[in-house]
Coordinates of all heavy atoms in Angstrom, one line a residue:
M28 N 118.6 128.5 37.5 CA 117.8 128.4 38.8 C 116.6 129.3 38.7 O 116.7 130.4 38.1 CB 118.8 128.9 39.9 CG 118.4 128.9 41.3 SD 118.2 127.3 42.1 CE 119.9 126.7 41.9
A29 N 115.5 128.8 39.2 CA 114.3 129.5 39.1 C 113.8 129.8 40.6 O 114.2 129.3 41.5 CB 113.2 128.7 38.4
N30 N 113.0 130.9 40.6 CA 112.5 131.3 41.9 C 111.0 131.0 41.9 O 110.3 131.2 40.8 CB 112.6 132.9 42.2 CG 114.1 133.2 42.5 OD1 114.7 132.4 43.2 ND2 114.6 134.3 41.9
I31 N 110.4 130.6 43.0 CA 109.0 130.4 43.1 C 108.6 131.2 44.3 O 109.2 131.1 45.4 CB 108.6 128.8 43.3 CG1 109.1 128.1 42.1 CG2 107.2 128.7 43.7 CD1 109.0 126.5 42.3
T32 N 107.4 131.8 44.2 CA 106.9 132.6 45.3 C 105.6 131.8 45.9 O 104.8 131.3 45.2 CB 106.3 133.9 44.9 OG1 107.4 134.6 44.3 CG2 105.7 134.7 46.0
V33 N 105.7 131.6 47.2 CA 104.6 130.8 47.8 C 103.9 131.9 48.9 O 104.7 132.5 49.6 CB 105.1 129.6 48.7 CG1 104.1 129.0 49.5 CG2 105.8 128.7 47.6
T34 N 102.7 131.9 48.8 CA 102.0 132.8 49.7 C 101.4 132.1 50.8 O 100.7 131.1 50.7 CB 100.8 133.6 49.0 OG1 101.5 134.3 47.8 CG2 100.2 134.6 49.9
L35 N 101.8 132.5 52.1 CA 101.3 131.9 53.3 C 100.8 133.1 54.3 O 101.3 134.1 54.2 CB 102.4 131.0 54.0 CG 103.0 129.9 53.3 CD1 104.1 129.3 54.1 CD2 101.9 128.7 53.2
N36 N 99.8 132.7 55.1 CA 99.5 133.7 56.1 C 100.7 133.8 57.1 O 101.6 132.9 57.2 CB 98.1 133.4 56.7 CG 98.1 132.2 57.7 OD1 99.0 131.9 58.4 ND2 96.9 131.5 57.5
D37 N 100.7 134.8 57.8 CA 101.8 135.1 58.8 C 102.1 134.0 59.8 O 103.2 133.6 60.1 CB 101.7 136.4 59.5 CG 101.9 137.6 58.5 OD1 102.5 137.5 57.4 OD2 101.4 138.7 58.8
S38 N 100.9 133.4 60.3 CA 101.0 132.5 61.3 C 101.6 131.2 60.8 O 102.4 130.5 61.4 CB 99.5 132.2 61.9 OG 99.5 131.1 62.8
D39 N 101.1 130.7 59.6 CA 101.6 129.5 59.0 C 103.0 129.7 58.6 O 103.8 128.7 58.8 CB 100.8 129.1 57.8 CG 99.4 128.6 58.0 OD1 99.1 128.3 59.2 OD2 98.6 128.5 57.1
K40 N 103.5 130.8 58.1 CA 104.9 131.0 57.8 C 105.7 130.9 59.0 O 106.8 130.3 59.0 CB 105.0 132.4 57.2 CG 106.3 132.5 56.4 CD 107.4 133.1 57.2 CE 108.7 133.3 56.4 NZ 109.7 133.8 57.2
K41 N 105.3 131.5 60.2 CA 106.1 131.4 61.4 C 106.2 130.0 61.9 O 107.2 129.5 62.3 CB 105.4 132.3 62.4 CG 105.9 132.2 63.9 CD 107.1 132.9 64.1 CE 107.5 133.0 65.5 NZ 108.6 132.0 66.0
R42 N 105.1 129.2 61.9 CA 105.0 127.9 62.3 C 105.9 127.0 61.4 O 106.7 126.2 61.9 CB 103.6 127.3 62.3 CG 102.8 127.9 63.5 CD 101.3 127.5 63.5 NE 101.2 126.1 63.7 CZ 100.3 125.3 63.1 NH1 99.3 125.9 62.4 NH2 100.3 124.1 63.4
L43 N 105.9 127.3 60.1 CA 106.8 126.5 59.2 C 108.2 126.8 59.4 O 109.0 125.9 59.4 CB 106.3 126.8 57.7 CG 107.1 126.0 56.7 CD1 106.9 124.5 56.8 CD2 106.7 126.4 55.3
S44 N 108.5 128.1 59.6 CA 109.9 128.5 59.9 C 110.4 127.8 61.2 O 111.6 127.3 61.3 CB 109.9 130.0 59.9 OG 111.3 130.4 60.3
D45 N 109.5 127.8 62.2 CA 109.9 127.1 63.5 C 110.2 125.7 63.3 O 111.1 125.1 63.9 CB 108.8 127.4 64.6 CG 108.7 128.9 65.0 OD1 109.7 129.7 64.7 OD2 107.7 129.2 65.7
F46 N 109.3 125.0 62.5 CA 109.5 123.7 62.3 C 110.8 123.3 61.6 O 111.5 122.5 61.9 CB 108.3 123.2 61.4 CG 108.5 121.7 60.9 CD1 108.1 120.6 61.7 CD2 109.0 121.5 59.6 CE1 108.3 119.4 61.3 CE2 109.2 120.1 59.1 CZ 108.9 119.1 60.0
C47 N 111.1 124.1 60.5 CA 112.3 123.9 59.8 C 113.6 124.2 60.7 O 114.5 123.4 60.6 CB 112.4 124.9 58.6 SG 111.3 124.4 57.2
D48 N 113.4 125.2 61.6 CA 114.5 125.4 62.5 C 114.7 124.2 63.4 O 115.9 123.8 63.7 CB 114.3 126.6 63.4 CG 114.3 128.0 62.7 OD1 114.9 127.9 61.6 OD2 113.9 129.0 63.2
Q49 N 113.7 123.5 63.9 CA 113.8 122.3 64.7 C 114.4 121.2 64.1 O 115.1 120.4 64.7 CB 112.4 122.0 65.3 CG 111.8 123.0 66.4 CD 110.5 122.6 66.8 OE1 110.2 121.4 67.0 NE2 109.7 123.6 67.0
I50 N 114.1 121.1 62.7 CA 114.8 119.9 62.1 C 116.0 120.2 61.3 O 116.6 119.4 60.7 CB 113.7 119.2 61.1 CG1 113.3 120.1 60.0 CG2 112.6 118.7 61.9 CD1 112.4 119.4 58.9
G51 N 116.4 121.5 61.3 CA 117.8 121.8 60.9 C 117.8 122.3 59.4 O 118.9 122.0 58.7
I52 N 116.7 122.6 58.8 CA 116.8 123.1 57.3 C 116.1 124.4 57.2 O 115.4 124.8 58.0 CB 116.3 121.9 56.4 CG1 114.7 121.7 56.6 CG2 116.9 120.7 56.5 CD1 113.9 120.9 55.7
S53 N 116.3 124.9 56.0 CA 115.7 126.3 55.7 C 114.4 125.9 55.0 O 114.2 124.7 54.6 CB 116.5 127.0 54.7 OG 116.7 126.3 53.5
I54 N 113.4 126.9 54.9 CA 112.2 126.7 54.1 C 112.5 126.4 52.7 O 111.9 125.5 52.1 CB 111.3 127.9 54.2 CG1 110.8 128.0 55.7 CG2 110.1 127.8 53.3 CD1 110.0 129.3 56.0
S55 N 113.5 127.1 52.1 CA 113.9 126.7 50.8 C 114.4 125.3 50.6 O 114.1 124.6 49.6 CB 114.9 127.8 50.3 OG 115.4 127.4 49.0
G56 N 115.2 124.8 51.6 CA 115.7 123.4 51.6 C 114.5 122.4 51.7 O 114.6 121.5 51.1
L57 N 113.5 122.8 52.5 CA 112.3 121.9 52.6 C 111.6 121.8 51.3 O 111.3 120.6 50.9 CB 111.4 122.5 53.7 CG 110.1 121.8 53.8 CD1 110.2 120.5 54.6 CD2 109.0 122.7 54.6
F58 N 111.4 122.8 50.6 CA 110.8 122.9 49.2 C 111.6 122.1 48.2 O 111.1 121.3 47.4 CB 110.3 124.1 48.8 CG 109.0 124.6 49.5 CD1 109.0 125.5 50.6 CD2 107.7 124.1 49.0 CE1 107.9 125.9 51.2 CE2 106.6 124.6 49.7 CZ 106.7 125.4 50.7
T59 N 112.9 122.4 48.3 CA 113.8 121.6 47.3 C 113.8 120.1 47.7 O 113.7 119.3 46.6 CB 115.3 122.1 47.5 OG1 115.3 123.6 47.2 CG2 116.2 121.4 46.6
M60 N 113.8 119.7 48.9 CA 113.8 118.2 49.2 C 112.4 117.6 48.7 O 112.4 116.6 48.2 CB 113.9 118.2 50.8 CG 113.8 116.7 51.3 SD 113.7 116.6 53.1 CE 114.7 117.8 53.7
F61 N 111.4 118.3 49.0 CA 110.0 118.0 48.5 C 110.0 117.8 47.1 O 109.6 116.7 46.5 CB 108.9 118.9 49.0 CG 107.6 118.7 48.5 CD1 106.8 117.8 49.1 CD2 107.1 119.4 47.4 CE1 105.5 117.5 48.6 CE2 105.8 119.2 46.9 CZ 105.1 118.3 47.4
T62 N 110.4 118.8 46.3 CA 110.4 118.8 44.8 C 111.2 117.7 44.3 O 110.8 116.8 43.4 CB 110.9 120.1 44.3 OG1 110.1 121.2 44.8 CG2 110.9 120.2 42.8
K63 N 112.5 117.5 44.7 CA 113.2 116.4 44.2 C 112.6 115.1 44.5 O 112.8 114.2 43.7 CB 114.8 116.5 44.7 CG 115.3 117.8 44.2 CD 116.9 117.7 44.3 CE 117.6 118.9 43.7 NZ 117.7 118.8 42.3
T64 N 112.2 114.9 45.6 CA 111.6 113.6 46.0 C 110.3 113.3 45.2 O 110.2 112.2 44.7 CB 111.3 113.5 47.6 OG1 112.5 113.8 48.2 CG2 110.8 112.1 47.9
V65 N 109.5 114.2 45.0 CA 108.3 114.0 44.2 C 108.7 113.8 42.7 O 108.1 112.8 42.2 CB 107.4 115.4 44.2 CG1 106.4 115.2 43.1 CG2 106.7 115.5 45.6
L66 N 109.7 114.4 42.2 CA 110.0 114.2 40.8 C 110.7 112.7 40.7 O 110.5 112.1 39.7 CB 111.0 115.2 40.4 CG 110.5 116.7 40.3 CD1 111.5 117.7 39.9 CD2 109.3 116.7 39.3
R67 N 111.5 112.4 41.7 CA 112.1 111.0 41.6 C 111.2 109.9 41.8 O 111.2 108.9 41.0 CB 113.2 111.0 42.7 CG 114.1 109.8 42.7 CD 115.2 109.7 43.8 NE 114.7 109.7 45.1 CZ 114.8 110.7 46.0 NH1 115.4 111.9 45.6 NH2 114.2 110.8 47.1
E68 N 110.3 110.1 42.8 CA 109.4 108.9 43.1 C 108.1 109.0 42.4 O 107.3 108.0 42.4 CB 109.1 109.0 44.6 CG 110.3 108.9 45.5 CD 111.0 107.6 45.4 OE1 110.5 106.5 45.1 OE2 112.4 107.6 45.5
G69 N 107.7 110.2 41.9 CA 106.4 110.3 41.3 C 105.2 110.3 42.3 O 104.1 110.1 41.8
E70 N 105.6 110.6 43.5 CA 104.6 110.7 44.5 C 105.2 111.4 45.8 O 106.4 111.7 45.8 CB 104.1 109.2 45.0 CG 105.2 108.4 45.5 CD 104.8 107.0 45.9 OE1 103.6 106.6 45.5 OE2 105.4 106.2 46.6
I71 N 104.4 111.5 46.8 CA 104.9 112.1 48.0 C 105.2 111.0 48.9 O 104.3 110.4 49.6 CB 103.9 113.2 48.6 CG1 103.6 114.3 47.6 CG2 104.5 113.6 50.0 CD1 102.6 115.2 48.1
P72 N 106.4 110.5 49.0 CA 106.7 109.1 49.6 C 107.2 109.3 51.1 O 107.6 108.3 51.6 CB 107.8 108.6 48.7 CG 108.5 109.7 48.3 CD 107.5 110.9 48.2
F73 N 107.2 110.4 51.6 CA 107.9 110.5 52.9 C 107.1 111.4 53.8 O 106.3 112.2 53.5 CB 109.3 111.1 52.8 CG 109.3 112.4 52.1 CD1 109.2 113.6 53.1 CD2 109.4 112.7 50.9 CE1 109.3 114.9 52.4 CE2 109.5 114.0 50.3 CZ 109.4 115.0 51.1
R74 N 107.5 111.2 55.2 CA 106.8 112.1 56.2 C 108.0 112.5 57.1 O 108.7 111.6 57.5 CB 105.9 111.2 57.0 CG 105.2 112.0 58.2 CD 104.3 111.2 59.1 NE 103.9 112.0 60.2 CZ 104.5 112.2 61.3 NH1 105.8 111.8 61.5 NH2 104.1 112.9 62.3
I75 N 108.1 113.7 57.3 CA 109.1 114.3 58.2 C 108.3 115.0 59.2 O 107.5 115.9 58.8 CB 110.1 115.2 57.4 CG1 110.8 114.5 56.4 CG2 111.0 115.9 58.5 CD1 111.7 115.4 55.6
G76 N 108.4 114.6 60.4 CA 107.6 115.3 61.4 C 108.2 115.2 62.8 O 109.2 114.5 63.1
L77 N 107.6 115.9 63.7 CA 107.9 115.9 65.1 C 106.8 115.0 65.8 O 105.7 115.0 65.4 CB 107.8 117.3 65.7 CG 108.6 118.3 65.0 CD1 108.3 119.7 65.7 CD2 110.1 118.0 65.2
D78 N 107.2 114.2 66.8 CA 106.3 113.5 67.6 C 105.4 114.3 68.3 O 105.8 115.2 69.1 CB 107.1 112.5 68.6 CG 107.8 111.5 67.9 OD1 107.5 111.1 66.7 OD2 108.8 111.0 68.5
K79 N 104.1 114.2 68.0 CA 103.1 115.1 68.5 C 101.9 114.1 69.0 O 101.3 113.5 68.1 CB 102.7 116.0 67.5 CG 101.9 117.1 68.0 CD 101.6 118.2 66.8 CE 100.7 119.2 67.3 NZ 100.4 120.2 66.2
P80 N 101.7 114.0 70.3 CA 100.6 113.1 70.7 C 99.3 113.5 70.3 O 99.0 114.8 70.2 CB 100.8 113.0 72.2 CG 101.5 114.2 72.5 CD 102.4 114.6 71.4
N81 N 98.4 112.5 70.0 CA 97.0 112.9 69.7 C 96.3 113.2 70.9 O 96.7 113.0 72.1 CB 96.3 111.9 68.8 CG 96.3 110.5 69.4 OD1 96.2 110.4 70.7 ND2 96.2 109.5 68.6
R82 N 95.0 113.6 70.8 CA 94.2 113.9 72.0 C 93.9 112.8 73.0 O 94.0 112.9 74.2 CB 92.8 114.5 71.5 CG 92.8 115.9 71.0 CD 91.4 116.3 70.5 NE 91.6 117.6 69.9 CZ 90.7 118.1 69.1 NH1 89.6 117.3 68.6 NH2 90.9 119.2 68.5
A83 N 93.7 111.6 72.4 CA 93.6 110.4 73.3 C 94.8 110.1 74.1 O 94.8 109.8 75.3 CB 93.3 109.2 72.4
T84 N 96.0 110.2 73.4 CA 97.3 110.1 74.1 C 97.4 111.1 75.2 O 97.9 110.8 76.3 CB 98.4 110.1 73.2 OG1 98.3 109.0 72.2 CG2 99.8 109.8 73.8
I85 N 97.1 112.4 74.9 CA 97.4 113.4 75.9 C 96.3 113.2 77.1 O 96.8 113.2 78.3 CB 97.0 114.8 75.3 CG1 98.1 115.2 74.3 CG2 96.8 115.9 76.3 CD1 97.8 116.3 73.4
R86 N 95.2 112.6 76.9 CA 94.2 112.4 77.9 C 94.8 111.2 78.8 O 94.8 111.3 80.0 CB 92.9 111.9 77.4 CG 91.7 112.8 77.7 CD 90.4 112.4 77.3 NE 90.2 111.3 76.2 CZ 90.1 111.5 74.9 NH1 90.1 112.8 74.4 NH2 90.1 110.6 74.0
T87 N 95.3 110.2 78.1 CA 95.9 109.1 78.8 C 97.1 109.5 79.6 O 97.2 109.1 80.8 CB 96.3 108.0 77.9 OG1 95.1 107.6 77.1 CG2 96.9 106.8 78.6
M88 N 98.0 110.4 79.1 CA 99.1 110.9 79.9 C 98.6 111.7 81.2 O 99.2 111.5 82.2 CB 100.0 111.7 78.9 CG 100.7 110.9 77.9 SD 101.4 111.9 76.6 CE 102.4 113.1 77.3
K89 N 97.6 112.5 80.9 CA 97.1 113.4 82.1 C 96.6 112.3 83.2 O 96.7 112.6 84.4 CB 96.0 114.3 81.7 CG 96.6 115.5 80.9 CD 95.6 116.4 80.4 CE 96.2 117.6 79.6 NZ 95.1 118.5 79.2
E90 N 95.9 111.3 82.7 CA 95.2 110.3 83.7 C 96.4 109.7 84.4 O 96.4 109.4 85.6 CB 94.4 109.3 82.9 CG 93.8 108.3 83.9 CD 92.9 107.2 83.1 OE1 92.5 107.6 81.9 OE2 92.7 106.2 83.6
G91 N 97.4 109.3 83.7 CA 98.6 108.6 84.3 C 99.3 109.5 85.3 O 99.7 109.1 86.5
D92 N 99.4 110.8 85.0 CA 99.9 111.8 86.0 C 99.1 111.9 87.2 O 99.6 111.9 88.4 CB 100.0 113.2 85.3 CG 101.1 113.4 84.3 OD1 102.0 112.5 84.3 OD2 101.0 114.3 83.5
K93 N 97.7 111.8 87.1 CA 96.9 111.8 88.2 C 97.1 110.6 89.2 O 97.1 110.7 90.3 CB 95.4 112.0 87.8 CG 94.9 113.2 87.3 CD 93.4 113.2 86.9 CE 93.1 114.5 86.2 NZ 91.6 114.4 85.7
I94 N 97.2 109.5 88.4 CA 97.4 108.3 89.1 C 98.7 108.3 89.9 O 98.8 107.9 91.2 CB 97.4 107.0 88.2 CG1 96.0 106.8 87.6 CG2 97.9 105.8 88.9 CD1 96.0 105.8 86.5
L95 N 99.8 108.8 89.3 CA 101.1 108.9 90.0 C 101.0 109.9 91.2 O 101.6 109.6 92.1 CB 102.1 109.4 89.0 CG 102.6 108.3 88.0 CD1 103.6 108.9 87.0 CD2 103.3 107.1 88.7
K96 N 100.3 111.0 91.1 CA 100.2 111.9 92.2 C 99.4 111.3 93.4 O 99.6 111.7 94.5 CB 99.5 113.2 91.7 CG 100.3 114.1 90.8 CD 99.6 115.3 90.4 CE 100.4 116.0 89.4 NZ 99.7 117.2 88.8
N97 N 98.5 110.3 93.1 CA 97.7 109.7 94.2 C 98.2 108.3 94.4 O 97.4 107.5 94.9 CB 96.2 109.8 93.8 CG 95.8 111.3 93.7 OD1 95.9 111.9 94.7 ND2 95.3 111.7 92.7
L98 N 99.4 108.0 94.1 CA 99.8 106.5 94.1 C 99.7 106.1 95.6 O 99.4 104.9 95.9 CB 101.3 106.5 93.7 CG 101.7 105.0 93.2 CD1 100.8 104.4 92.2 CD2 103.1 105.2 92.8
H99 N 99.9 106.9 96.6 CA 99.8 106.5 98.0 C 98.4 106.1 98.3 O 98.2 105.4 99.4 CB 100.1 107.7 98.9 CG 99.4 108.9 98.7 ND1 99.5 109.8 97.8 CD2 98.3 109.4 99.5 CE1 98.6 110.7 97.8 NE2 98.0 110.5 99.0
K100 N 97.4 106.4 97.5 CA 96.0 106.0 97.8 C 95.6 104.7 97.1 O 94.5 104.2 97.3 CB 95.0 107.0 97.3 CG 95.2 108.4 98.1 CD 94.2 109.4 97.6 CE 94.4 110.8 98.2 NZ 93.5 111.8 97.7
A101 N 96.5 104.3 96.2 CA 96.2 103.1 95.4 C 96.2 101.8 96.2 O 97.0 101.7 97.1 CB 97.3 103.0 94.2
K102 N 95.4 100.9 95.8 CA 95.3 99.6 96.5 C 96.4 98.8 95.9 O 96.7 98.8 94.7 CB 94.0 98.9 96.2 CG 93.9 97.6 97.0 CD 92.5 97.2 97.1 CE 92.4 95.9 97.9 NZ 91.1 95.5 98.3
V103 N 97.2 98.1 96.8 CA 98.3 97.3 96.4 C 98.0 95.8 96.7 O 97.3 95.5 97.6 CB 99.6 97.6 97.2 CG1 100.7 96.8 96.9 CG2 99.8 99.1 97.1
Y104 N 98.4 94.9 95.7 CA 98.2 93.5 95.8 C 99.5 92.8 96.0 O 100.4 93.2 95.5 CB 97.4 93.0 94.7 CG 96.0 93.7 94.4 CD1 95.9 94.7 93.5 CD2 95.0 93.2 95.1 CE1 94.7 95.4 93.4 CE2 93.6 93.9 94.9 CZ 93.6 94.9 94.1 OH 92.4 95.5 93.9
D105 N 99.4 91.7 96.7 CA 100.6 90.9 97.0 C 100.9 90.0 95.8 O 102.0 89.4 95.7 CB 100.6 90.2 98.2 CG 100.6 91.1 99.5 OD1 101.3 92.1 99.4 OD2 99.8 90.9 100.5
S106 N 99.9 89.6 95.0 CA 100.0 88.7 93.9 C 99.1 89.0 92.7 O 98.0 89.7 93.1 CB 99.8 87.2 94.4 OG 98.5 87.1 94.8
V107 N 99.3 88.4 91.7 CA 98.4 88.6 90.6 C 97.1 87.9 90.8 O 96.0 88.4 90.5 CB 99.1 87.9 89.3 CG1 98.1 87.9 88.1 CG2 100.3 88.8 88.8
E108 N 97.2 86.7 91.5 CA 96.0 86.0 91.9 C 95.0 86.8 92.7 O 93.8 86.9 92.6 CB 96.3 84.7 92.5 CG 96.9 83.6 91.7 CD 98.4 83.9 91.5 OE1 99.1 84.8 92.2 OE2 99.0 83.3 90.6
E109 N 95.6 87.6 93.7 CA 94.8 88.5 94.5 C 94.2 89.6 93.8 O 93.0 90.0 94.0 CB 95.7 89.0 95.6 CG 95.0 89.8 96.7 CD 96.1 90.5 97.8 OE1 97.2 90.1 97.8 OE2 95.5 91.4 98.5
A110 N 94.8 90.1 92.8 CA 94.4 91.2 92.0 C 93.2 90.7 91.1 O 92.1 91.3 91.0 CB 95.4 91.8 91.1
L111 N 93.4 89.5 90.6 CA 92.4 88.8 89.7 C 91.1 88.5 90.6 O 90.0 88.7 90.1 CB 92.9 87.6 89.0 CG 94.0 87.8 87.9 CD1 94.5 86.5 87.4 CD2 93.3 88.7 86.8
A112 N 91.3 88.1 91.8 CA 90.2 87.7 92.7 C 89.3 89.0 92.9 O 88.2 89.0 92.9 CB 90.7 87.1 93.9
E113 N 90.1 90.1 93.1 CA 89.4 91.4 93.4 C 88.5 91.8 92.1 O 87.5 92.3 92.2 CB 90.5 92.5 93.7 CG 90.0 93.9 93.8 CD 89.2 94.1 95.2 OE1 89.5 93.3 96.1 OE2 88.5 95.0 95.3
L114 N 89.1 91.6 90.9 CA 88.5 91.9 89.7 C 87.1 91.1 89.5 O 86.2 91.6 89.0 CB 89.4 91.8 88.5 CG 90.4 92.8 88.3 CD1 91.3 92.4 87.2 CD2 89.8 94.1 87.9
K115 N 87.2 89.9 90.0 CA 86.1 89.0 89.9 C 84.9 89.3 90.8 O 83.8 88.9 90.6 CB 86.4 87.5 89.9 CG 87.3 87.0 88.9 CD 87.8 85.6 89.1 CE 88.7 85.1 87.9 NZ 89.3 83.8 88.2
R116 N 85.2 90.0 91.9 CA 84.1 90.3 92.8 C 83.3 91.4 92.3 O 83.3 92.1 91.5 CB 84.8 90.9 94.1 CG 85.4 89.8 94.9 CD 85.7 90.4 96.3 NE 87.1 89.9 96.5 CZ 87.9 90.5 97.4 NH1 87.6 91.4 98.2 NH2 89.2 90.1 97.4

């Protein structure tokens, strides 16, 4: 068995540790998984991650929240035809 030392700044080490806690493995386990997969596949063939919305998605979610908060002000149509006629005006 060999030891490897990896140097990270304190913030990155904390974030990596938090990530590993969330997915249920140790930092050592993460590096072992990475190493064995790289050696077996000859490439980095996987992505392990948390769902994290991008800026556009976050903006859209906030817009949706605003719409829901003001739903009582929204114009309501009785049919698709009525809504399409409004769009054509």
Side-chain angles (χ1 to χ4, degrees):
M28 187 69 60
N30 290 320
I31 296 174
T32 301
V33 176
T34 303
L35 299 171
N36 68 43
D37 292 339
S38 174
D39 287 348
K40 197 266 183 187
K41 169 81 169 100
R42 290 176 60 208
L43 183 61
S44 180
D45 291 346
F46 172 82
C47 286
D48 288 346
Q49 289 180 37
I50 63 171
I52 63 172
S53 66
I54 292 176
S55 179
L57 176 71
F58 280 97
T59 299
M60 182 189 325
F61 173 79
T62 300
K63 291 199 177 278
T64 304
V65 167
L66 295 174
R67 183 180 63 246
E68 303 293 330
E70 62 184 14
I71 302 172
F73 60 88
R74 179 187 175 279
I75 298 175
L77 303 172
D78 291 335
K79 190 173 179 181
N81 62 29
R82 288 182 182 153
T84 301
I85 291 170
R86 239 185 348 264
T87 302
M88 291 166 54
K89 287 179 179 178
E90 183 180 340
D92 288 343
K93 286 180 188 175
I94 291 169
L95 287 174
K96 286 179 185 174
N97 295 302
L98 201 54
H99 61 282
K100 296 179 185 176
K102 183 162 183 169
V103 179
Y104 300 97
D105 293 323
S106 68
V107 172
E108 291 79 15
E109 185 182 348
L111 290 173
E113 177 77 19
L114 287 172
K115 290 179 182 177
R116 284 191 234 162

